[in-house]
Amino acid sequence: MRCKSKRIDLSTQPPLSKAQRQVITTFYRTITNHDPDLLDQVVNPHWENTPLFPGQRAGPDGFKNIIRQFIFSFPDAQVSILGMYDYKGRAKVHAKMLFTQENDFMGLAPTGLKTSIILEELHTIENGKISFTYHLEDWYSLIKTTGSAAIRIPPKGKKRGRYPGKDRSII
């Protein structure tokens, strides 16, 4: 049975207000401007951020620590917002982050190579501040660039799983 889903053309969704666009833009400037404290202007103190990075504490201060680690590892990081839409009462953001890894990041050794990842995120804005954010980032692009992991496909006719000898894990 084929699943039929209705595609939503985000370009036909209502635009965000000027105030909402400003909140979203400032949120991403925390990375581009290397200023995690900008977060205090745009998220409420009980902001929920999901999913958390490994070892990240909940709330704005936990995310500020991640931003600081990120800036240390990727000092030239720049976020470009490609689109902002109102999606069912939430701010839907499509963005691109471009950076060069100069220091270790979560166990990945630096390569000095330029990398870009795509961000697809939903933000709930209440009373002029972000109260909830759901992040979806393409971290696999970083893994591919660093060469830290490779997809290994089992030989034809073999089932996926454990194989004696060579590691044939699927990531």
Side-chain angles (χ1 to χ4, degrees):
M1 180 174 178
R2 188 173 175 180
C3 176
K4 292 182 181 180
S5 64
K6 184 178 176 184
R7 291 188 107 177
I8 297 171
D9 181 1
L10 289 175
S11 66
T12 64
Q13 298 299 305
L16 295 174
S17 71
K18 184 176 180 178
Q20 289 171 318
R21 287 193 314 272
Q22 183 63 41
V23 165
I24 296 299
T25 302
T26 301
F27 180 85
Y28 293 101
R29 280 188 18 237
T30 60
I31 293 173
T32 301
N33 292 5
H34 298 181
D35 188 359
D37 292 328
L38 285 173
L39 210 58
D40 295 330
Q41 297 175 22
V42 294
V43 301
N44 72 33
H46 304 290
W47 172 59
E48 291 182 58
N49 174 37
T50 189
L52 298 176
F53 268 89
Q56 180 184 348
R57 293 186 333 264
D61 288 335
F63 194 63
K64 285 181 189 181
N65 288 336
I66 293 297
I67 292 171
R68 286 183 189 101
Q69 290 173 23
F70 194 82
I71 291 167
F72 173 76
S73 298
F74 310 101
D76 65 344
Q78 297 289 313
V79 178
S80 300
I81 297 174
L82 305 174
M84 288 188 267
Y85 313 94
D86 182 307
Y87 178 70
K88 298 183 179 181
R90 294 187 180 101
K92 161 78 173 79
V93 178
H94 176 67
K96 181 178 185 177
M97 192 177 331
L98 182 65
F99 51 82
T100 308
Q101 185 180 4
E102 293 187 13
N103 294 296
D104 184 77
F105 181 71
M106 298 181 74
L108 297 176
T111 62
L113 300 173
K114 277 271 188 227
T115 303
S116 67
I117 64 171
I118 295 297
L119 315 171
E120 297 290 337
E121 304 188 334
L122 285 174
H123 303 277
T124 301
I125 301 173
E126 298 174 333
N127 301 319
K129 290 196 173 190
I130 301 171
S131 62
F132 179 84
T133 298
Y134 182 81
H135 300 275
L136 181 62
E137 291 107 2
D138 171 29
W139 290 110
Y140 184 65
S141 292
L142 174 62
I143 293 169
K144 281 191 329 188
T145 301
T146 62
S148 299
I151 296 177
R152 297 184 184 100
I153 306 296
K156 256 187 175 173
K158 298 283 184 178
K159 292 182 181 178
R160 294 179 184 212
R162 293 184 179 225
Y163 293 90
K166 293 184 180 177
D167 173 23
R168 298 189 186 277
S169 59
I170 306 293
I171 295 175

